[in-house]
Protein backbone atom coordinates (compact mmCIF):
# COMPACT_ATOMS: atom_id res chain seq x y z
CA UNK A 1 0.00 0.00 0.00
CA UNK A 2 2.71 2.43 1.03
CA UNK A 3 4.65 1.67 -2.12
CA UNK A 4 1.60 2.47 -4.21
CA UNK A 5 1.10 5.80 -2.58
CA UNK A 6 4.71 6.68 -3.22
CA UNK A 7 4.44 5.67 -6.85
CA UNK A 8 1.26 7.65 -7.16
CA UNK A 9 3.01 10.74 -5.94
CA UNK A 10 5.92 10.12 -8.26
CA UNK A 11 3.50 9.87 -11.16
CA UNK A 12 1.89 13.12 -10.16
CA UNK A 13 5.29 14.80 -10.16
CA UNK A 14 6.30 13.40 -13.53
CA UNK A 15 2.96 14.11 -15.18
CA UNK A 16 4.29 17.57 -15.86
CA UNK A 17 6.20 16.10 -18.77
CA UNK A 18 9.78 14.90 -18.58
CA UNK A 19 10.37 11.30 -17.48
CA UNK A 20 7.56 8.78 -17.85
CA UNK A 21 7.80 5.13 -18.68
CA UNK A 22 4.43 5.27 -20.40
CA UNK A 23 3.92 3.21 -23.55
CA UNK A 24 1.81 4.81 -26.27
CA UNK A 25 -0.99 2.63 -27.74
CA UNK A 26 0.83 2.33 -31.07
CA UNK A 27 4.01 1.07 -29.36
CA UNK A 28 2.44 -1.72 -27.32
CA UNK A 29 3.98 -5.13 -27.95
CA UNK A 30 1.88 -8.25 -27.59
CA UNK A 31 3.44 -11.64 -26.85
CA UNK A 32 0.86 -14.38 -27.41
CA UNK A 33 -1.81 -11.83 -26.54
CA UNK A 34 -0.07 -10.66 -23.37
CA UNK A 35 1.58 -7.33 -22.55
CA UNK A 36 4.52 -7.91 -20.20
CA UNK A 37 5.40 -4.34 -19.25
CA UNK A 38 3.24 -1.96 -17.22
CA UNK A 39 1.76 0.55 -19.68
CA UNK A 40 2.08 3.49 -17.32
CA UNK A 41 5.27 2.45 -15.58
CA UNK A 42 3.32 2.56 -12.33
CA UNK A 43 1.45 -0.12 -10.43
CA UNK A 44 -2.31 -0.20 -10.64
CA UNK A 45 -4.72 0.69 -7.89
CA UNK A 46 -7.45 -1.97 -7.58
CA UNK A 47 -9.96 0.45 -6.04
CA UNK A 48 -9.61 2.82 -8.97
CA UNK A 49 -9.82 -0.28 -11.15
CA UNK A 50 -13.20 -1.12 -9.72
CA UNK A 51 -14.39 2.34 -10.68
CA UNK A 52 -13.08 1.84 -14.22
CA UNK A 53 -14.83 -1.54 -14.33
CA UNK A 54 -18.21 -0.22 -13.25
CA UNK A 55 -18.36 3.27 -14.81
CA UNK A 56 -20.15 3.48 -18.17
CA UNK A 57 -17.97 6.34 -19.39
CA UNK A 58 -14.76 4.41 -18.55
CA UNK A 59 -14.30 0.65 -18.97
CA UNK A 60 -17.97 -0.26 -18.60
CA UNK A 61 -16.81 -3.86 -18.21
CA UNK A 62 -19.99 -4.55 -16.24
CA UNK A 63 -21.98 -4.02 -19.45
CA UNK A 64 -20.80 -7.46 -20.51
CA UNK A 65 -19.33 -9.21 -17.45
CA UNK A 66 -20.64 -10.37 -14.10
CA UNK A 67 -18.69 -11.94 -11.20
CA UNK A 68 -19.37 -12.81 -7.59
CA UNK A 69 -16.85 -10.17 -6.52
CA UNK A 70 -18.69 -7.43 -8.47
CA UNK A 71 -22.18 -8.31 -7.29
CA UNK A 72 -22.64 -4.93 -5.58
CA UNK A 73 -22.61 -3.35 -9.06
CA UNK A 74 -26.22 -3.61 -10.31
CA UNK A 75 -27.41 -5.07 -13.65
CA UNK A 76 -24.29 -6.74 -14.99
CA UNK A 77 -24.56 -7.94 -18.59
CA UNK A 78 -23.82 -11.43 -19.87
CA UNK A 79 -22.44 -10.82 -23.36
CA UNK A 80 -19.03 -11.87 -21.98
CA UNK A 81 -18.28 -14.78 -19.63
CA UNK A 82 -18.48 -14.41 -15.84
CA UNK A 83 -15.07 -13.34 -14.60
CA UNK A 84 -14.92 -15.36 -11.38
CA UNK A 85 -11.44 -16.81 -11.02
CA UNK A 86 -9.99 -14.70 -13.88
CA UNK A 87 -6.81 -14.19 -11.83
CA UNK A 88 -6.44 -17.95 -11.42
CA UNK A 89 -6.67 -18.48 -15.18
CA UNK A 90 -4.58 -15.58 -16.45
CA UNK A 91 -1.29 -13.97 -15.50
CA UNK A 92 -1.01 -10.23 -14.95
CA UNK A 93 0.58 -9.85 -18.40
CA UNK A 94 -2.25 -11.82 -20.02
CA UNK A 95 -4.90 -9.75 -18.25
CA UNK A 96 -3.15 -6.56 -19.39
CA UNK A 97 -3.22 -7.92 -22.93
CA UNK A 98 -6.92 -8.82 -22.61
CA UNK A 99 -7.84 -5.32 -21.52
CA UNK A 100 -5.46 -3.62 -23.96
CA UNK A 101 -6.70 -5.54 -26.99
CA UNK A 102 -8.63 -8.76 -26.38
CA UNK A 103 -8.57 -9.53 -30.10
CA UNK A 104 -4.92 -10.54 -29.66
CA UNK A 105 -6.13 -13.36 -27.40
CA UNK A 106 -9.60 -14.11 -28.79
CA UNK A 107 -9.68 -13.54 -32.53
CA UNK A 108 -12.75 -11.60 -33.61
CA UNK A 109 -14.11 -11.18 -30.08
CA UNK A 110 -16.82 -8.58 -29.46
CA UNK A 111 -14.83 -7.29 -26.49
CA UNK A 112 -13.55 -3.81 -27.40
CA UNK A 113 -9.83 -2.97 -27.35
CA UNK A 114 -9.36 -0.47 -24.54
CA UNK A 115 -5.79 0.62 -25.36
CA UNK A 116 -5.79 1.19 -29.07
CA UNK A 117 -5.92 4.46 -30.99
CA UNK A 118 -6.11 3.74 -34.72
CA UNK A 119 -7.16 1.27 -37.38
CA UNK A 120 -10.89 1.85 -36.98
CA UNK A 121 -13.69 2.01 -39.56
CA UNK A 122 -15.55 5.34 -39.31
CA UNK A 123 -14.09 6.22 -35.92
CA UNK A 124 -16.26 8.63 -33.99
CA UNK A 125 -15.56 11.48 -31.64
CA UNK A 126 -16.48 9.68 -28.42
CA UNK A 127 -20.27 9.09 -28.32
CA UNK A 128 -21.28 12.16 -30.36
CA UNK A 129 -21.85 10.28 -33.63
CA UNK A 130 -19.56 12.82 -35.32
CA UNK A 131 -16.32 11.89 -37.04
CA UNK A 132 -13.23 11.50 -34.87
CA UNK A 133 -9.66 11.88 -36.11
CA UNK A 134 -7.15 9.11 -35.57
CA UNK A 135 -5.14 8.67 -33.48
CA UNK A 136 -8.08 8.67 -31.06
CA UNK A 137 -7.46 8.79 -27.35
CA UNK A 138 -7.65 5.15 -26.23
CA UNK A 139 -10.85 4.31 -24.34
CA UNK A 140 -8.78 3.89 -21.17
CA UNK A 141 -5.49 5.65 -20.51
CA UNK A 142 -2.39 3.70 -19.50
CA UNK A 143 -2.95 4.10 -15.77
CA UNK A 144 -6.63 3.13 -16.02
CA UNK A 145 -5.60 -0.09 -17.77
CA UNK A 146 -3.13 -0.81 -14.96
CA UNK A 147 -5.83 -0.04 -12.39
CA UNK A 148 -8.37 -2.39 -13.94
CA UNK A 149 -5.71 -5.11 -14.27
CA UNK A 150 -4.88 -4.68 -10.57
CA UNK A 151 -8.60 -5.08 -9.83
CA UNK A 152 -8.85 -8.20 -12.02
CA UNK A 153 -5.92 -9.70 -10.08
CA UNK A 154 -8.24 -9.82 -7.06
CA UNK A 155 -10.70 -12.10 -8.97
CA UNK A 156 -9.57 -15.31 -7.28
CA UNK A 157 -11.62 -18.35 -6.35
CA UNK B 1 -34.05 -21.25 -29.37
CA UNK B 2 -30.67 -19.50 -29.07
CA UNK B 3 -27.99 -22.00 -30.08
CA UNK B 4 -25.45 -19.33 -30.91
CA UNK B 5 -25.51 -17.61 -27.53
CA UNK B 6 -25.45 -20.85 -25.61
CA UNK B 7 -22.51 -21.93 -27.73
CA UNK B 8 -20.49 -18.89 -26.61
CA UNK B 9 -21.31 -19.46 -22.99
CA UNK B 10 -20.52 -23.15 -23.27
CA UNK B 11 -17.25 -22.46 -25.05
CA UNK B 12 -16.09 -20.30 -22.15
CA UNK B 13 -17.24 -22.93 -19.71
CA UNK B 14 -15.51 -25.75 -21.48
CA UNK B 15 -12.32 -23.77 -21.85
CA UNK B 16 -12.04 -22.80 -18.23
CA UNK B 17 -14.01 -25.52 -16.53
CA UNK B 18 -16.41 -23.01 -15.03
CA UNK B 19 -19.82 -23.86 -13.72
CA UNK B 20 -22.73 -22.14 -15.41
CA UNK B 21 -24.21 -21.17 -12.07
CA UNK B 22 -25.08 -17.54 -11.69
CA UNK B 23 -25.16 -17.00 -15.42
CA UNK B 24 -28.46 -15.46 -16.36
CA UNK B 25 -29.72 -17.19 -19.48
CA UNK B 26 -32.66 -15.05 -20.37
CA UNK B 27 -34.73 -15.97 -23.34
CA UNK B 28 -37.29 -13.73 -24.97
CA UNK B 29 -40.64 -14.03 -23.24
CA UNK B 30 -43.04 -16.63 -24.58
CA UNK B 31 -46.19 -14.58 -25.08
CA UNK B 32 -48.75 -13.66 -27.72
CA UNK B 33 -49.52 -10.16 -28.95
CA UNK B 34 -53.28 -9.86 -29.33
CA UNK B 35 -54.75 -6.44 -30.12
CA UNK B 36 -58.55 -6.11 -30.19
CA UNK B 37 -58.87 -9.87 -30.40
CA UNK B 38 -56.57 -10.14 -33.40
CA UNK B 39 -53.26 -11.94 -33.03
CA UNK B 40 -50.22 -10.16 -34.47
CA UNK B 41 -47.52 -12.50 -35.72
CA UNK B 42 -44.42 -11.78 -33.62
CA UNK B 43 -42.44 -14.93 -34.37
CA UNK B 44 -41.80 -16.50 -37.75
CA UNK B 45 -39.66 -18.96 -39.61
CA UNK B 46 -36.44 -17.29 -40.74
CA UNK B 47 -36.43 -16.42 -44.46
CA UNK B 48 -34.20 -18.58 -46.66
CA UNK B 49 -31.91 -15.70 -47.63
CA UNK B 50 -30.72 -15.45 -44.01
CA UNK B 51 -29.01 -18.78 -44.52
CA UNK B 52 -29.41 -19.88 -40.92
CA UNK B 53 -28.07 -16.63 -39.41
CA UNK B 54 -31.14 -16.54 -37.14
CA UNK B 55 -32.76 -19.83 -36.13
CA UNK B 56 -36.18 -18.16 -35.82
CA UNK B 57 -37.46 -14.60 -36.16
CA UNK B 58 -38.59 -13.00 -32.91
CA UNK B 59 -39.97 -9.47 -32.68
CA UNK B 60 -38.38 -7.01 -30.26
CA UNK B 61 -41.74 -7.03 -28.45
CA UNK B 62 -40.83 -10.39 -26.85
CA UNK B 63 -37.68 -8.89 -25.34
CA UNK B 64 -39.48 -6.15 -23.43
CA UNK B 65 -40.89 -6.33 -19.93
CA UNK B 66 -44.46 -7.25 -19.01
CA UNK B 67 -45.72 -3.64 -18.67
CA UNK B 68 -44.25 -2.56 -21.99
CA UNK B 69 -45.72 -5.57 -23.77
CA UNK B 70 -49.12 -4.95 -22.20
CA UNK B 71 -49.06 -1.31 -23.27
CA UNK B 72 -48.68 -2.33 -26.90
CA UNK B 73 -51.46 -4.92 -26.62
CA UNK B 74 -54.06 -2.25 -25.80
CA UNK B 75 -54.58 0.70 -28.13
CA UNK B 76 -55.94 2.78 -25.26
CA UNK B 77 -52.68 2.30 -23.36
CA UNK B 78 -50.41 2.55 -26.39
CA UNK B 79 -49.08 6.13 -26.30
CA UNK B 80 -48.22 5.83 -29.99
CA UNK B 81 -51.92 5.98 -30.88
CA UNK B 82 -52.08 9.66 -29.91
CA UNK B 83 -49.64 10.35 -32.70
CA UNK B 84 -51.78 8.37 -35.12
CA UNK B 85 -54.63 10.78 -34.34
CA UNK B 86 -52.38 13.75 -34.93
CA UNK B 87 -51.25 12.14 -38.20
CA UNK B 88 -54.88 11.90 -39.31
CA UNK B 89 -55.37 15.64 -38.75
CA UNK B 90 -52.28 16.34 -40.82
CA UNK B 91 -53.48 13.92 -43.51
CA UNK B 92 -56.56 16.09 -44.00
CA UNK B 93 -54.83 19.46 -43.68
CA UNK B 94 -54.19 21.51 -46.81
CA UNK B 95 -50.61 22.72 -47.11
CA UNK B 96 -48.40 24.24 -49.83
CA UNK B 97 -48.94 26.33 -52.93
CA UNK B 98 -51.20 23.80 -54.69
CA UNK B 99 -53.90 23.94 -52.02
CA UNK B 100 -53.86 20.20 -51.47
CA UNK B 101 -53.82 17.76 -48.59
CA UNK B 102 -52.86 14.06 -48.65
CA UNK B 103 -56.61 13.35 -48.73
CA UNK B 104 -57.01 15.37 -51.96
CA UNK B 105 -55.17 12.67 -53.89
CA UNK B 106 -55.39 9.56 -51.69
CA UNK B 107 -58.83 9.83 -50.04
CA UNK B 108 -58.74 8.09 -46.63
CA UNK B 109 -55.56 6.75 -44.99
CA UNK B 110 -56.91 3.19 -45.62
CA UNK B 111 -55.66 3.70 -49.16
CA UNK B 112 -52.18 3.21 -47.68
CA UNK B 113 -52.91 -0.36 -46.54
CA UNK B 114 -50.32 -2.76 -47.87
CA UNK B 115 -47.55 -0.19 -48.28
CA UNK B 116 -45.68 -0.54 -44.99
CA UNK B 117 -44.83 -4.29 -45.38
CA UNK B 118 -43.06 -3.80 -48.73
CA UNK B 119 -41.07 -0.70 -47.73
CA UNK B 120 -38.32 0.19 -48.48
CA UNK B 121 -38.69 -0.69 -52.16
CA UNK B 122 -37.20 0.40 -55.43
CA UNK B 123 -39.65 2.79 -57.03
CA UNK B 124 -40.64 1.51 -60.46
CA UNK B 125 -40.65 4.98 -62.03
CA UNK B 126 -37.51 6.55 -60.63
CA UNK B 127 -35.40 3.47 -59.84
CA UNK B 128 -34.69 5.01 -56.44
CA UNK B 129 -34.85 3.12 -53.17
CA UNK B 130 -37.79 4.70 -51.32
CA UNK B 131 -39.01 4.44 -47.76
CA UNK B 132 -42.19 6.02 -46.42
CA UNK B 133 -40.40 9.25 -45.53
CA UNK B 134 -39.12 9.55 -49.11
CA UNK B 135 -42.60 9.01 -50.61
CA UNK B 136 -44.19 11.51 -48.24
CA UNK B 137 -41.62 14.19 -48.95
CA UNK B 138 -41.86 13.52 -52.66
CA UNK B 139 -45.61 14.20 -52.54
CA UNK B 140 -45.10 17.30 -50.47
CA UNK B 141 -42.48 18.88 -52.71
CA UNK B 142 -43.66 17.78 -56.18
CA UNK B 143 -47.47 17.57 -55.77
CA UNK B 144 -48.39 19.91 -52.93
CA UNK B 145 -45.84 22.65 -53.42
CA UNK B 146 -44.96 22.31 -49.74
CA UNK B 147 -41.67 22.07 -47.89
CA UNK B 148 -40.13 18.68 -47.24
CA UNK B 149 -40.51 17.58 -43.65
CA UNK B 150 -37.57 16.81 -41.38
CA UNK B 151 -37.46 12.99 -41.49
CA UNK B 152 -37.24 12.88 -37.69
CA UNK B 153 -39.76 15.65 -37.05
CA UNK B 154 -43.18 15.18 -35.51
CA UNK B 155 -45.18 15.78 -38.70
CA UNK B 156 -43.28 13.00 -40.43
CA UNK B 157 -43.29 10.49 -37.59
CA UNK B 158 -47.02 11.08 -36.96
CA UNK B 159 -47.67 10.38 -40.63
CA UNK B 160 -45.56 7.23 -40.53
CA UNK B 161 -47.51 5.99 -37.52
CA UNK B 162 -50.79 6.59 -39.35
CA UNK B 163 -49.57 4.87 -42.52
CA UNK B 164 -48.04 1.89 -40.67
CA UNK B 165 -51.21 1.30 -38.70
CA UNK B 166 -53.13 0.73 -41.96
CA UNK B 167 -51.04 -2.43 -42.47
CA UNK B 168 -51.08 -3.71 -38.91
CA UNK B 169 -50.86 -7.49 -38.92
CA UNK B 170 -49.72 -7.76 -42.53
CA UNK B 171 -46.47 -9.67 -42.94
CA UNK B 172 -43.29 -7.84 -43.84
CA UNK B 173 -42.26 -8.86 -47.33
CA UNK B 174 -39.68 -6.55 -48.86
CA UNK B 175 -38.20 -7.47 -52.22
CA UNK B 176 -34.47 -8.18 -52.26
CA UNK B 177 -34.04 -9.37 -55.84
CA UNK B 178 -34.08 -7.63 -59.22
CA UNK B 179 -33.50 -3.89 -58.92
CA UNK B 180 -33.36 -4.20 -55.10
CA UNK B 181 -30.40 -6.60 -55.18
CA UNK B 182 -27.56 -4.04 -55.16
CA UNK B 183 -29.22 -2.16 -52.26
CA UNK B 184 -29.63 -5.42 -50.38
CA UNK B 185 -25.94 -6.24 -50.88
CA UNK B 186 -24.82 -2.81 -49.69
CA UNK B 187 -27.09 -3.01 -46.65
CA UNK B 188 -25.79 -6.45 -45.81
CA UNK B 189 -22.19 -5.29 -46.02
CA UNK B 190 -22.97 -2.41 -43.63
CA UNK B 191 -24.79 -4.78 -41.25
CA UNK B 192 -21.68 -6.92 -40.82
CA UNK B 193 -19.09 -4.12 -40.67
CA UNK B 194 -17.54 -3.48 -37.27
CA UNK B 195 -17.67 0.29 -36.99
CA UNK B 196 -16.24 2.72 -34.51
CA UNK B 197 -13.85 2.57 -31.61
CA UNK B 198 -15.82 -0.28 -30.06
CA UNK B 199 -15.54 -2.22 -33.35
CA UNK B 200 -19.07 -3.59 -33.18
CA UNK B 201 -21.35 -4.48 -36.07
CA UNK B 202 -25.13 -4.72 -36.01
CA UNK B 203 -24.63 -8.49 -36.17
CA UNK B 204 -22.37 -8.53 -33.09
CA UNK B 205 -25.25 -7.33 -30.96
CA UNK B 206 -28.42 -8.45 -32.74
CA UNK B 207 -27.32 -11.70 -34.38
CA UNK B 208 -24.59 -13.06 -32.08
CA UNK B 209 -25.94 -11.77 -28.79
CA UNK B 210 -29.71 -11.43 -28.97
CA UNK B 211 -31.18 -12.83 -25.80
CA UNK B 212 -28.15 -11.65 -23.82
CA UNK B 213 -28.03 -8.57 -21.66
CA UNK B 214 -25.72 -5.66 -22.34
CA UNK B 215 -25.89 -4.08 -18.89
CA UNK B 216 -29.64 -3.88 -18.30
CA UNK B 217 -30.60 -3.89 -21.99
CA UNK B 218 -32.03 -7.17 -23.22
CA UNK B 219 -30.68 -7.44 -26.76
CA UNK B 220 -33.30 -8.28 -29.37
CA UNK B 221 -32.81 -9.38 -32.95
CA UNK B 222 -33.07 -5.72 -33.99
CA UNK B 223 -36.04 -6.04 -36.35
CA UNK B 224 -37.85 -3.03 -37.79
CA UNK B 225 -41.37 -4.47 -38.05
CA UNK B 226 -42.54 -2.45 -35.02
CA UNK B 227 -41.50 0.94 -36.42
CA UNK B 228 -42.24 3.71 -36.02
CA UNK B 229 -42.01 2.86 -32.34
CA UNK B 230 -43.17 4.75 -29.31
CA UNK B 231 -40.10 4.84 -27.07
CA UNK B 232 -40.86 5.33 -23.40
CA UNK B 233 -37.35 6.65 -22.84
CA UNK B 234 -37.85 9.47 -25.37
CA UNK B 235 -41.59 9.89 -24.77
CA UNK B 236 -42.00 10.04 -28.53
CA UNK B 237 -41.89 8.20 -31.81
CA UNK B 238 -38.66 6.97 -33.32
CA UNK B 239 -38.11 5.79 -36.88
CA UNK B 240 -35.98 2.84 -37.95
CA UNK B 241 -33.25 5.11 -39.25
CA UNK B 242 -33.43 7.18 -36.07
CA UNK B 243 -32.76 3.98 -34.16
CA UNK B 244 -29.83 3.11 -36.46
CA UNK B 245 -28.26 6.49 -35.65
CA UNK B 246 -28.39 5.66 -31.95
CA UNK B 247 -27.01 2.15 -32.38
CA UNK B 248 -24.09 3.30 -34.55
CA UNK B 249 -23.33 6.22 -32.23
CA UNK B 250 -23.16 3.76 -29.34
CA UNK B 251 -20.24 2.02 -31.02
CA UNK B 252 -18.30 5.32 -30.85
CA UNK B 253 -18.52 5.59 -34.62
CA UNK B 254 -19.33 8.36 -37.06
CA UNK B 255 -22.95 7.64 -37.96
CA UNK B 256 -24.46 7.84 -41.42
CA UNK B 257 -27.04 10.54 -42.07
CA UNK B 258 -30.76 9.79 -42.01
CA UNK B 259 -31.88 9.41 -45.61
CA UNK B 260 -28.34 8.63 -46.83
CA UNK B 261 -27.81 5.90 -49.43
CA UNK B 262 -26.13 3.81 -46.73
CA UNK B 263 -28.98 4.00 -44.23
CA UNK B 264 -31.60 3.50 -46.93
CA UNK B 265 -29.82 0.31 -48.00
CA UNK B 266 -29.43 -0.76 -44.37
CA UNK B 267 -33.14 -0.15 -43.78
CA UNK B 268 -33.95 -2.47 -46.69
CA UNK B 269 -31.55 -5.14 -45.50
CA UNK B 270 -32.73 -5.05 -41.88
CA UNK B 271 -36.38 -5.11 -43.01
CA UNK B 272 -35.60 -8.18 -45.14
CA UNK B 273 -34.23 -10.00 -42.10
CA UNK B 274 -37.72 -9.59 -40.66
CA UNK B 275 -39.62 -10.85 -43.73
CA UNK B 276 -42.44 -12.91 -42.22
CA UNK B 277 -43.00 -10.89 -39.03
CA UNK B 278 -46.12 -8.75 -38.88
CA UNK B 279 -46.17 -4.97 -39.09
CA UNK B 280 -47.00 -3.98 -35.51
CA UNK B 281 -48.31 -0.51 -36.37
CA UNK B 282 -46.72 1.58 -33.65
CA UNK B 283 -44.79 -0.75 -31.39
CA UNK B 284 -43.94 0.24 -27.83
CA UNK B 285 -40.42 -0.18 -26.46
CA UNK B 286 -38.49 1.35 -23.61
Amino acid sequence: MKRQILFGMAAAVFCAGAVTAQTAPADVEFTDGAITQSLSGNPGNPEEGKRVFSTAALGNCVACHAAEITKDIPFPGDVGPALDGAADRWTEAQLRGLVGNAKMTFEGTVMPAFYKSSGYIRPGDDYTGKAGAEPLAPILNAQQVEDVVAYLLTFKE
Amino acid sequence: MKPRRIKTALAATALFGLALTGMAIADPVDDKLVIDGVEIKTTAEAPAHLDGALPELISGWHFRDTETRAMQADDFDNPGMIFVDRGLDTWNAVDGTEGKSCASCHEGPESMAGLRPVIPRVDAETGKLMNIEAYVNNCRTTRMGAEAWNPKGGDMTDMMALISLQSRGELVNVAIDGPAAPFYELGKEIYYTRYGQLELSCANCHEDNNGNYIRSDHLSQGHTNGFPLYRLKDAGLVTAQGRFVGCVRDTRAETFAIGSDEFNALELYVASRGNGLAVEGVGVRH
Side-chain angles (χ1 to χ4, degrees), chain A:
Chain A
M1 237 354 177
K2 191 151 164 241
R3 233 179 88 220
Q4 261 169 19
I5 291 165
L6 271 177
F7 272 115
M9 282 165 46
V13 171
F14 285 129
C15 260
V19 194
T20 53
Q22 184 160 322
T23 311
D27 299 332
V28 176
E29 279 180 35
F30 290 86
T31 317
D32 293 329
I35 306 172
T36 46
Q37 301 283 320
S38 162
L39 293 173
S40 66
N42 297 308
N45 172 349
E47 275 149 44
E48 265 306 300
K50 182 170 186 183
R51 202 170 69 85
V52 171
F53 191 93
S54 58
T55 306
L58 297 175
N60 200 19
C61 315
V62 68
C64 295
H65 294 290
E68 194 54 31
I69 194 174
T70 64
K71 68 168 188 271
D72 57 322
I73 311 170
F75 307 121
D78 59 4
V79 166
L83 293 182
D84 299 291
D88 303 323
R89 288 190 291 282
W90 306 99
T91 64
E92 179 182 335
Q94 287 173 323
L95 289 170
R96 189 181 289 114
L98 275 166
V99 176
N101 186 350
K103 289 169 183 78
M104 298 296 185
T105 303
F106 296 106
E107 202 190 329
T109 184
V110 295
M111 177 161 156
F114 290 90
Y115 202 65
K116 178 178 158 176
S117 55
S118 59
Y120 298 114
I121 303 170
R122 293 181 73 87
D125 176 9
D126 211 328
Y127 287 109
T128 61
K130 302 209 167 67
E134 291 186 353
L136 303 175
I139 300 172
L140 297 179
N141 66 33
Q143 190 56 45
Q144 288 165 336
V145 174
E146 294 307 320
D147 291 343
V148 85
V149 168
Y151 181 49
L152 289 173
L153 284 169
T154 68
F155 287 44
K156 289 193 191 292
E157 277 184 317

Side-chain angles (χ1 to χ4, degrees), chain B residues 114-130:
Chain B
L115 180 65
R116 174 65 179 81
V118 298
I119 286 288
R121 73 173 174 210
V122 177
D123 184 69
E125 270 170 43
T126 61
K128 282 193 190 149
L129 184 63
M130 305 279 277

